[in-house]
Amino acid sequence: MNHWQPTASLSNLRQRARIIGRIREFFGARGVLEVETPTLSAAAVSDPHLLPFATDYLPEGGGQAQTLYLHTSPEYPMKRLLAAGSGCIWQLCRVYRNGESGRRHNPEFSMLEWYRVGFDHHRLMDEVDDLVDAVLGCGRSRRVTYAALFEQYLQVDIHSCTTDELARLGQKHCDFRGELDRDGWLNLLFSHCIEPRLHEPTMVYAFPASQAALARVVEADDRVPSAARFELFIQGMELANGYFELTDADEQAARFAADQQLRRGYQRPELPIDQHLIDALRQGLPECAGVALGVDRLVMLALGANSIDEVIAFPLGRA
Amino acid sequence: MANYSTNEFKPGLKVMLDGDPCAILENEYVKPGKGQAFNRVKVRNLKTGRVNERTFKSGDTLEGADVMDRDMEYLYTDGEFWHFMATDGSFEQVGADEKAVGDAINWMKEQVVYTVTLFNGAPIAVTPPNFVELEVVETDPGVRGDTSGGGNKPAKLVTGAVVKVPLFINVGDVLKVDTRTSDYVGRV
């Protein structure tokens, strides 16, 4: 009946606009260049757990139609800009992830993504703190490794434990009866038993090497090779995900191939991989760190909102 | 019955879980930016009333449960079964065993209409109306003149249930009781 109306109050939408203004000031003051990259791309994301929307480009007057994918993040083209010599860049854009809808998810949402040339992930974590503090006034985050959190909350050493042990913990704590691979169990335990307890701003780093995504693998404090990747959690909610970026083109190509393999295993459609990114890395990506931050969730935290619907005007049900 | 996938697990949906009919209470989509999506689901077992949390992979399915709530009038008990009759004019009767009657046993009164939950046609749960009127069969003598309601004492009702009542209540009084909290509401 009243479904034409926005789900977010107008006062929330005004505050949202103010927060976006503050983000723009933040990067302006630091001399980071604002860029725009295509939302429609010939290649798709390789992450086996992301489902992009697909659409068709139909040349007017006829001709071969071309399938295009809505980006799930602007990562690949932003890295191409970096390889082309852009220097530090940032972007605020709408990204699209098929099938994702819930209290903290909407299939299209606003992502803030930025890259800092010459930074590693630790230095970028500091800058993420600065940005989040500028909006939330929450101070500096606690730094803790992925493995240390498993020790703290589940009393398990993820470097030495077997997958069966992880499965037993998953069955015990989450009452989950299905089958998962090792990273699946780690994800289940992290999202159900650890994430909800990370109330104070917490920067989790040194992810398992198998969850590196587009981060380089380095030796962490405990001398175990791990992904130079971090995630920020506030009030039990994932807010940002960053990498000390992988610059090795061959390694990137190998990871794309491994993702394709996983996609086949999950019976998900195989999608075209981004050869442009590989070519850009081969040309040379400067040493840099990058991070993506969910702006809707940042606004949720700033306003104390319980649901993403309170901070976006028209979520999926009213789109 | 049809199968339902995790994204159809809306509150109120009845599904089969471990062989028992269950009602979905809550369903939270849990998806890390990188990694597998799950659904954290809160369910009530309709046989035991117990509430549990279970996690599913997004896209998992459960079979629907043939569960129906019917308004039925309580007729009598033969000691083993509590017999109810449909109020829709069909005069259909069912007998619920002690397990199905559960805590409602404290609030059973003839000719009162209860909600009987049927699973594949058989009663698995009985829910009393929010308020029932029952006679006091045992309590200390009433304190004359005390109608303030301050202070209380136990009173045993005709069903065997014991409720706290004000001091002025006597044996033979009919009380209105809130079945959800076992609280005395008033004298009828």
Side-chain angles (χ1 to χ4, degrees), chain A residues 47 49-50 97 99-101 103 105 174-177 179-180 184 187-188 191-192 213 229 238 241 243, chain B residues 7 18 27-41 52-58 60:
Chain A
D47 186 323
H49 297 293
L50 291 182
R97 297 184 177 187
E100 301 192 6
S101 179
R103 196 162 64 83
H105 294 83
C174 316
D175 207 346
F176 177 83
R177 313 282 172 93
E179 305 253 323
L180 293 169
N187 268 318
L188 174 75
S191 58
H192 286 67
R229 173 182 161 200
E238 178 189 340
N241 176 50
Y243 310 133
Chain B
N7 67 340
D18 304 334
N27 176 12
E28 173 128 68
Y29 177 69
V30 179
K31 166 92 168 74
K34 305 275 165 200
Q36 174 87 48
F38 298 101
N39 286 72
R40 185 100 180 117
V41 181
N52 284 310
E53 282 202 311
R54 272 289 266 278
T55 298
F56 298 90
K57 254 191 259 190
S58 292
D60 280 353

Side-chain angles (χ1 to χ4, degrees), chain A residues 1-44:
Chain A
M1 227 162 295
N2 285 324
H3 283 184
W4 64 269
Q5 287 188 325
T7 53
S9 69
L10 293 177
S11 110
N12 279 6
L13 294 178
R14 280 186 207 104
Q15 298 214 52
R16 182 187 171 104
R18 266 196 289 278
I19 289 167
I20 286 168
R22 205 164 304 156
I23 292 170
R24 194 152 266 129
E25 283 164 26
F26 181 89
F27 290 105
R30 291 178 184 229
V32 181
L33 176 69
E34 182 171 5
V35 296
E36 291 177 280
T37 55
T39 50
L40 288 170
S41 163

Side-chain angles (χ1 to χ4, degrees), chain B residues 70-148:
Chain B
R70 280 189 87 175
D71 288 340
M72 301 189 97
E73 183 183 316
Y74 172 54
L75 301 175
Y76 66 97
T77 177
D78 56 23
E80 192 179 355
F81 289 99
W82 281 254
H83 296 272
F84 295 84
M85 185 171 68
T87 56
D88 58 6
S90 67
F91 302 105
E92 252 175 83
Q93 290 192 21
V94 296
D97 63 13
E98 197 173 346
K99 221 171 117 199
V101 174
D103 292 342
I105 201 159
N106 288 323
W107 317 116
M108 298 309 293
K109 188 182 176 188
E110 282 143 33
Q111 289 167 4
V112 170
V113 175
Y114 295 77
T115 303
V116 178
T117 305
L118 302 169
F119 170 48
N120 294 333
I124 52 164
V126 173
T127 311
N130 291 343
F131 302 100
V132 288
E133 295 173 0
L134 294 164
E135 191 184 330
V136 175
V137 293
E138 214 179 287
T139 190
D140 293 338
V143 179
R144 207 178 262 280
D146 172 49
T147 53
S148 67

Side-chain angles (χ1 to χ4, degrees), chain A residues 139-268:
Chain A
R140 234 179 105 79
S141 60
R142 164 170 84 114
R143 304 287 155 90
V144 60
T145 66
Y146 188 86
L149 286 171
F150 275 82
E151 285 278 5
Q152 183 184 346
Y153 291 110
L154 293 160
Q155 291 78 49
V156 65
D157 176 0
I158 61 159
H159 299 314
S160 64
C161 74
T162 64
T163 301
D164 281 348
E165 284 171 74
L166 293 175
R168 272 196 294 280
L169 284 172
Q171 284 148 4
K172 182 174 150 200
H173 293 291
C174 316
D175 207 346
F176 177 83
R177 313 282 172 93
E179 305 253 323
L180 293 169
D181 56 20
R182 187 178 180 86
D183 281 320
W185 288 115
L186 288 171
N187 268 318
L188 174 75
L189 289 166
F190 192 91
S191 58
H192 286 67
C193 305
I194 298 175
E195 185 173 333
R197 289 146 99 172
L198 303 178
H199 290 286
E200 296 305 310
T202 305
M203 208 71 85
V204 182
Y205 69 99
F207 278 68
S210 53
Q211 295 178 29
L214 279 80
R216 66 181 68 189
V217 172
V218 297
E219 275 189 10
D221 318 343
D222 51 10
R223 303 249 158 243
V224 178
S226 62
R229 173 182 161 200
F230 64 90
E231 286 202 345
L232 173 62
F233 295 87
I234 302 181
Q235 292 187 18
M237 181 161 70
E238 178 189 340
L239 189 61
N241 176 50
Y243 310 133
F244 188 15
E245 300 292 347
L246 179 67
T247 52
D248 181 331
D250 293 331
E251 172 65 18
Q252 184 61 65
R255 288 194 195 173
F256 275 162
D259 277 351
Q260 295 284 56
Q261 188 78 32
L262 277 175
R263 272 192 171 269
R264 278 193 289 274
Y266 297 139
Q267 266 124 47
R268 296 213 154 172

